[in-house]
Amino acid sequence: MVEKSLMNNYVEGDTGPWEVVIGLEVHAQVTSQSKLFSGAATAFGAEPNSQVSLVDAGMPGMLPVINEVAVEQAVRSGLGLNAKINTYSVFDRKNYFYADLPQGYQISQYLQPIVGEGVITVDLEDGRSRDIGIERLHLEQDAGKSIHDRHPTKTYVDLNRSGVALMEIVSKPDMRTAEEAGAYVRKVRTILRYLGTCDGNMEEGSMRADVNVSVRRPGEALGTRAEIKNVNSVRFMQQAIAYETGRQIDILEAGGSIDQETRLFDAQSGTTRPMRSKEEAHDYRYFPDPDLLPLEFSDAFIERIRRTLPELPDAKKQRYMDAMGLSVHDAQVLVSEREIAAFFEQVAQGRDPKIAANWVQGEFFAQLSKAERDIADSPVSADQLGGLIDLIADSTISGKIAKDVLVSMFESGQDAAAIVAEKGLKQVSDSGVIEAEIDKVIAVNPDKVAEFQGGKDKVLGWFVGQIMQATKGKANPQMVNQLLRGKLKA
Amino acid sequence: MAELTELGISEARDLLAKGALSSRELTESHISAMAESSALNAMVTETPEIALAMADASDERRAKGGSGALEGIPLAIKDLFCTKGVLTTAGSHILDGFRPPYESTVTANLWQAGAVMLGKTNMDEFAMGSSNETSYYGAVQNPWRRHGDNRALVPGGSSGGSATAVSGRFAMGATATDTGGSIRQPASFTGTVGCKPTYGRCSRWGVVAFASSLDQAGPITRSVRDNAIMLGAMAGYDPKDATSANVALPDFEAALTGDARGLKIGVPKEYVLDGMPGEIEALWQRGIGWLRAAGAEIIDISLPHTKYALPTYYIVAPAEASSNLARYDGVRFGLRMPGDDLTEMYENTRAAGFGPEVRRRVLIGTYVLSAGYYDAYYLKAQKVRRLIAQDFRDVFASVDAILTPSTPSAAFAFGDKADDPIAMYLNDVFTVPANLAGLPGISLPAGLSDDGLPLGLQVLAPAFDEETMFRVAGLLEEAAAFNEAPTQWWRSR
């Protein structure tokens, strides 16, 4: 049995504590109109074998030509991962036979990748953050897809994905818990989405992860790892790590040893099992692809790309905290997606950033989620939300009324001011009107007045409620408070 | 019309330009000669209908005033070049029925220049061979025979069909490819001119790959001038081939100045082999004498890593081939032999589809790339390859071109070397270094052996200096005055 110790992240086995060591290989599809070495399109969900060039189909005499956009995207991603960019890198062939690998080899980068070591900071639930090392990022082609379940004896092959550009981002074995692994994948995804180099869509397969898991006694050398493939969501990844950790500890505690092998995650059962090997002997016979020259570019090329980088989430978060005075939590939530940050910044433009942050994260998100919409297709624009906040700021409406106005805005798409005017929601700040209402309430509730004067301050709230009810919530709450106190004390 | 097949490309070009000859006449004469030459087995596929249609189209273009560099000239195409809608076999069973839906860049360039396609020439399977004996479609016979000896001789390989079609006077020129000597060695064996240009000069797009870092297309013709004309039409930068060189394409024909003044010709001592026939050595000396007499300066040079070229080649080429040939798996095109599962289908298809020489090289290549052997073989070979290239760069600092024999012997008889791969591989000893270094080289006929077979001399030049290569070859051609032709014993009428 394994149990998790909260203090040091060790897992308690029957014979003592174990440390889990996790490394991740994230495969991120490069956002690009065309494939890595051919002009074929890359749209998701197209008819099978409709996006296949002669190169992708491995026809005789066909040659790969590098897609420069993919190179730029890889460099951009490397910069976003704070990594070393290699101005000289080499494409290699990884040789193996499979029906969905038309050339009989995958073009990848083996010894000399385009991006070297880097580091990213991941944020954990308890507010801590950790640095996770990046080992490398390299460009490679995707294979096609084999479909085994359409025919009792035959396999169908769809080559639409064959040749699609992937970035394989390899982490250092720096993670110790499933939570850290999840936070790492989310952070990589966020960074790539900020950069526009990968859409990070795990459902459509444009981001997948292979998970390397091993266990060891604290302080000892790294154990033998198993590589788990076919993990296509953060939740599955965390399940796979939990299962694999338990499996390995059980084997080791029973006196066995771990095989270095590739295992497949089964989402149905939440378990992993050894993968049938693609070739009997696993020797990929890597060698430099003689159809392609080494990939070389200048420092100026890198600098040109660097100048187009957006503000990345870490810098943004820091700025939200330092310049806008937001809390860590608020800043973290707002930078989690580039679109959210952009929306927030638009709302905060010329307004109190804290109030903007509260509205975006609070009522706005609640209404968005109720409407089952994304921020990208929100029925209420950032400017509209800003307009609503302005009405509170200039005392046209109260914050309470504003919440109702936002609901109407989501329903009708109208501006806040129009709704306020149409429904006559403008706040009443005429002291004569408010005083008249107060006098009426005091007149009919002498017992409550006595309670207040006898020291029961809480009764004030009851009076406020009565006034608000009488004014249909439109009375300026501060004025109500102020005037009530004056009248009640008298 | 038989005499039309004796015309060279440049002569026919002039007659066509004057209106003294139509492409249709010229093409018909070659179609007939090709049909009557089936005994040589030089063609895998003859395309007379296509040829006539192209010839007529050419005559029409000319009538309207348009004409390309090879307007109306009938050519044969090595069956390694993909030709749209026309069976392309690479001499292999595994490409059974393969009709590419695309045209190779080199052949497309030729058709753009007005050339006419006669058909596809036989070749060693996947261009692996030096005698044309490895073709699935049977061996090609050399049009030449020894004096007083009726034994059939090999035409050399792998472009044996192309060399034979040109030597046998049923194509005015032919495309070929050269990975280790596959243009120059058969040219030497058949008394024709064969040039392998600089690596990157001709696009490899649409040419079935053998060893990608060595493969280079080039022409086989009957004269140096024809060769220069044809190369000019084949070559040029192609953005579809990442290894194609984006360099200016000179007028190669204009390089044939006939002027030897100021030329420095290197003669490498390492090309003198133990046991090399005396007639080869004598031919080489004659070549040296001709160039010196024409006014060139002869300089003894050393290319110290020459002796490692052949073993290096037989690591690099099979390594690349083992990977390049992985796509012949029975899944998408060509031969498929069923099996109970995917692996068995692969095994059955590849065992039936590849001949013994291809299987041998795939095995060698797989071995030298395998974990534990990669460093000792492939990586070491790459290092030696760089040294060989450096040897040439060093000597080209002081010479303009290098003169060597093309092959260590004249054409040999069938079966002579088929059972001994090493003896067979030695055929390429003089040609392989240029492939490893990416340099241009040309073989031209310079005399006959004692028993009446053609012998070739080879000129090597610096990268992208085919002009000097052609200039020197032109001088040798003029001095050698080689006018021999095989008697057309094979013609059936």
Side-chain angles (χ1 to χ4, degrees):
Chain A
M1 270 315 298
V2 294
E3 221 174 89
K4 190 148 157 212
S5 156
L6 289 174
M7 285 304 293
N8 43 24
N9 289 326
Y10 295 157
V11 173
E12 211 55 49
D14 291 338
T15 59
W18 295 88
E19 186 179 31
V20 185
V21 177
I22 304 161
L24 292 175
E25 293 165 19
V26 172
H27 299 260
Q29 178 176 339
V30 176
T31 299
S32 167
Q33 298 296 313
S34 52
K35 295 182 178 181
L36 184 53
F37 297 110
S38 84
T42 57
F44 175 76
E47 279 293 299
N49 295 311
S50 66
Q51 300 186 341
V52 185
S53 76
L54 296 166
V55 176
D56 308 323
M59 299 299 277
M62 292 299 97
L63 298 172
V65 174
I66 186 74
N67 170 357
E68 283 177 30
V69 172
V71 174
E72 283 190 30
Q73 294 287 55
V75 170
R76 211 171 154 74
S77 301
L79 292 172
L81 299 170
N82 308 301
K84 179 178 184 295
I85 309 299
N86 295 322
T87 54
Y88 180 96
S89 65
V90 174
F91 286 104
D92 297 282
R93 292 186 184 175
K94 177 180 181 179
N95 295 282
Y96 66 91
F97 282 94
Y98 205 62
D100 58 22
L101 188 74
Q103 295 158 309
Y105 53 83
Q106 176 194 29
I107 305 178
S108 181
Q109 296 189 300
Y110 185 48
L111 294 177
Q112 293 169 281
I114 183 167
V115 175
E117 292 186 325
V119 64
I120 63 170
T121 305
V122 303
D123 301 312
L124 303 173
E125 285 295 320
D126 60 8
R128 283 183 307 129
S129 53
R130 275 207 62 194
D131 283 354
I132 305 292
I134 303 288
E135 178 68 35
R136 59 187 281 165
L137 175 155
H138 67 253
L139 281 168
E140 64 182 25
Q141 298 176 299
D142 206 350
K145 203 163 117 190
S146 293
I147 301 150
H148 301 290
D149 54 6
R150 297 268 183 88
H151 190 279
T153 57
K154 291 180 177 164
T155 294
Y156 290 91
V157 174
D158 177 5
L159 296 181
N160 280 354
R161 289 199 66 85
S162 169
V164 162
L166 302 178
M167 297 179 283
E168 181 172 328
I169 302 165
V170 183
S171 81
K172 294 199 180 279
D174 284 355
M175 286 153 278
R176 296 293 174 266
T177 65
E179 191 211 337
E180 287 178 7
Y184 169 83
V185 170
R186 285 195 200 94
K187 188 59 174 278
V188 168
R189 182 176 176 276
T190 301
I191 292 172
L192 299 185
R193 284 173 55 85
Y194 262 73
L195 295 165
T197 56
C198 172
D199 67 21
N201 193 327
M202 294 185 100
E203 293 77 47
E204 292 180 3
S206 49
M207 209 170 134
R208 337 187 266 271
D210 296 342
V211 187
N212 287 293
V213 178
S214 64
V215 298
R216 64 175 169 189
R217 292 294 188 190
E220 288 187 357
L222 286 174
T224 304
R225 69 193 157 85
E227 183 182 358
I228 310 165
K229 285 192 182 290
N230 197 32
V231 189
N232 53 17
S233 80
V234 169
R235 192 165 61 89
F236 288 160
M237 189 182 76
Q238 294 179 330
Q239 278 179 20
I241 292 170
Y243 176 83
E244 189 58 23
T245 304
R247 186 186 74 87
Q248 292 188 14
I249 292 175
D250 287 348
I251 290 173
L252 292 172
E253 294 200 327
S257 63
I258 305 300
D259 292 332
Q260 181 160 345
E261 63 179 352
T262 304
R263 299 176 69 84
L264 210 57
F265 178 68
D266 180 349
Q268 301 256 294
S269 62
T271 61
T272 67
R273 58 184 155 81
M275 198 166 102
R276 193 162 44 86
S277 68
K278 283 187 173 175
E279 214 177 3
E280 311 300 315
H282 259 294
D283 183 349
Y284 290 124
R285 307 187 305 279
Y286 281 100
F287 76 108
D289 191 328
D291 285 334
L292 292 161
L293 301 175
L295 183 58
E296 287 181 89
F297 44 77
S298 64
D299 289 332
F301 175 79
I302 300 172
E303 290 314 309
R304 185 168 66 70
I305 294 171
R306 195 193 298 278
R307 283 197 295 277
T308 66
L309 292 187
E311 182 183 34
L312 289 170
D314 288 349
K316 219 180 246 304
K317 180 178 139 194
Q318 203 59 48
R319 178 164 65 81
Y320 287 1
M321 288 159 60
D322 295 349
M324 297 184 172
L326 302 194
S327 69
V328 184
H329 175 265
D330 284 1
Q332 213 153 284
V333 171
L334 290 171
V335 304
S336 65
E337 295 280 353
R338 191 179 181 177
E339 292 76 11
I340 294 173
F343 189 95
F344 159 69
E345 288 186 29
Q346 182 73 22
V347 176
Q349 185 76 44
R351 302 187 177 97
D352 183 325
K354 282 193 200 167
I355 291 173
N358 281 337
W359 273 93
V360 170
Q361 282 198 79
E363 291 302 311
F364 174 74
F365 273 4
Q367 291 303 321
L368 199 59
S369 125
K370 216 170 108 193
E372 295 182 338
R373 296 286 199 98
D374 278 341
I375 197 147
D377 60 352
S378 165
V380 173
S381 72
D383 286 339
Q384 283 179 307
L385 182 58
L388 178 66
I389 293 170
D390 290 344
L391 294 181
I392 307 166
D394 68 8
S395 299
T396 304
I397 54 172
S398 66
K400 189 163 178 306
I401 290 281
K403 290 178 187 178
D404 299 334
V405 173
L406 184 63
V407 172
S408 301
M409 290 167 76
F410 264 86
E411 282 162 4
S412 67
Q414 280 183 291
D415 284 352
I419 292 168
V420 168
E422 194 177 288
K423 298 194 173 173
L425 298 175
K426 192 172 184 319
Q427 186 162 261
V428 175
S429 300
D430 180 331
S431 58
V433 174
I434 294 171
E435 277 181 71
E437 292 296 336
I438 290 172
D439 290 344
K440 273 192 234 167
V441 175
I442 287 176
V444 296
N445 292 292
D447 50 334
K448 297 282 179 190
V449 176
E451 275 182 43
F452 179 80
Q453 286 168 348
K456 274 186 99 176
D457 262 13
K458 273 201 270 178
V459 182
L460 186 70
W462 181 85
F463 275 103
V464 172
Q466 293 299 305
I467 309 297
M468 296 309 279
Q469 213 172 357
T471 59
K472 297 201 179 81
K474 292 186 286 185
N476 181 326
Q478 273 141 19
M479 286 179 69
V480 171
N481 253 300
Q482 196 189 335
L483 293 170
L484 254 181
R485 280 185 190 278
K487 296 242 175 199
L488 286 171
K489 276 179 188 157
Chain B
M1 286 211 302
E3 69 276 12
L4 289 183
T5 58
E6 292 295 329
L7 292 173
I9 291 173
S10 62
E11 298 156 304
R13 177 183 64 181
D14 297 346
L15 291 171
L16 286 161
K18 279 194 286 190
L21 180 67
S22 69
S23 175
R24 177 147 193 126
E25 291 171 282
L26 190 62
T27 300
E28 278 175 344
S29 67
H30 282 89
I31 290 171
S32 308
M34 177 168 70
E36 289 161 11
S37 300
S38 55
L40 296 179
N41 196 31
M43 309 300 293
V44 174
T45 305
E46 299 179 16
T47 57
E49 296 85 4
I50 293 173
L52 290 175
M54 290 175 92
D56 289 343
S58 169
D59 287 333
E60 265 176 53
R61 273 194 303 274
R62 191 182 293 279
K64 289 180 188 153
S67 79
L70 289 171
E71 196 60 61
I73 303 293
L75 302 175
I77 302 301
K78 187 178 184 179
D79 213 10
L80 202 61
F81 292 82
C82 290
T83 41
K84 192 171 181 176
V86 175
L87 183 69
T88 298
T89 69
S92 181
H93 186 29
I94 209 158
L95 274 169
D96 263 13
F98 176 59
R99 289 170 199 278
Y102 46 90
E103 186 78 32
S104 82
T105 298
V106 162
T107 48
N109 288 347
L110 289 172
W111 314 144
Q112 186 63 35
V116 168
M117 178 167 81
L118 290 165
K120 306 292 291 288
T121 65
N122 202 349
M123 52 178 285
D124 278 302
E125 185 179 6
F126 281 104
M128 298 177 189
S130 305
S131 66
N132 234 292
E133 290 166 285
T134 72
S135 170
Y136 175 70
Y137 296 92
V140 179
Q141 278 199 42
N142 195 326
W144 293 79
R145 287 186 172 174
R146 293 180 184 126
H147 289 325
D149 183 345
N150 268 341
R151 274 186 301 164
L153 303 178
V154 304
S158 65
S159 312
S162 290
T164 294
V166 175
S167 172
R169 271 65 179 171
F170 48 96
M172 304 194 75
T175 64
T177 60
D178 189 317
T179 305
S182 281
I183 292 175
R184 292 160 288 160
Q185 185 253 17
S188 180
F189 279 15
T190 59
T192 54
V193 179
C195 152
K196 178 203 93 74
T198 310
Y199 184 80
R201 184 65 98 177
C202 289
S203 171
R204 294 185 298 113
W205 194 88
V207 183
V208 174
F210 162 16
S212 311
S213 75
L214 300 159
D215 294 346
Q216 184 58 204
I220 294 179
T221 57
R222 287 192 296 269
S223 75
V224 174
R225 180 172 302 275
D226 288 1
N227 211 277
I229 295 168
M230 191 170 158
L231 179 62
M234 293 169 70
Y237 172 62
D238 180 5
K240 289 188 288 188
D241 174 1
T243 63
S244 165
N246 193 358
V247 295
L249 187 60
D251 180 349
F252 297 127
E253 197 182 356
L256 300 172
T257 59
D259 187 352
R261 284 173 303 177
L263 276 179
K264 292 185 179 133
I265 306 294
V267 176
K269 66 177 183 195
E270 289 80 8
Y271 282 57
V272 180
L273 297 184
D274 285 345
M276 188 162 76
E279 60 192 12
I280 300 291
E281 172 69 25
L283 177 84
W284 193 5
Q285 288 306 322
R286 275 204 299 282
I288 291 168
W290 292 328
L291 290 176
R292 185 181 284 125
E297 183 185 350
I298 305 298
I299 297 173
D300 289 332
I301 57 168
S302 172
L303 297 163
H305 296 94
T306 299
K307 63 171 178 271
Y308 304 114
L310 212 50
T312 298
Y313 175 83
Y314 276 99
I315 290 168
V316 174
E320 293 181 10
S322 71
S323 176
N324 282 336
L325 269 54
R327 65 187 59 197
Y328 306 101
D329 57 7
V331 174
R332 297 168 312 288
F333 47 78
L335 187 73
R336 177 191 290 185
M337 303 299 275
D340 284 343
D341 59 20
L342 184 63
T343 304
E344 205 180 295
M345 189 273 280
Y346 285 152
E347 289 170 354
N348 293 346
T349 300
R350 289 167 66 85
F354 291 145
E357 183 61 28
V358 171
R359 292 205 295 267
R360 178 181 2 258
R361 297 201 199 187
V362 167
L363 285 173
I364 293 171
T366 303
Y367 177 83
V368 299
L369 289 176
S370 296
Y373 301 98
Y374 180 87
D375 288 359
Y377 291 99
Y378 184 78
L379 209 57
K380 179 72 107 356
Q382 290 295 7
K383 287 178 187 162
V384 177
R385 183 176 181 178
R386 281 194 286 277
L387 294 175
I388 290 166
Q390 189 58 48
D391 279 358
F392 281 105
R393 272 195 295 276
D394 291 345
V395 300
F396 281 130
S398 51
V399 302
D400 302 306
I402 294 169
L403 180 69
T404 78
S406 300
T407 54
S409 75
F412 46 89
F414 282 101
D416 269 6
K417 303 187 182 184
D419 299 333
D420 183 353
I422 303 294
M424 189 69 88
Y425 297 168
L426 276 170
N427 263 288
D428 298 330
V429 67
F430 296 144
T431 47
V432 151
N435 297 84
L436 291 170
L439 303 176
I442 191 169
S443 171
L444 70 150
L448 291 182
S449 66
D450 297 341
D451 48 8
L453 295 179
L455 297 172
L457 283 174
Q458 174 179 239
V459 179
L460 303 175
F464 299 106
D465 192 6
E466 284 87 354
E467 288 166 285
T468 298
M469 174 193 80
F470 279 126
R471 181 177 163 204
V472 174
L475 291 164
L476 289 165
E477 183 182 51
E478 198 181 339
F482 182 86
N483 288 318
E484 311 289 334
T487 60
Q488 301 197 5
W489 51 265
W490 64 87
R491 290 287 281 268
S492 60
R493 285 171 201 259

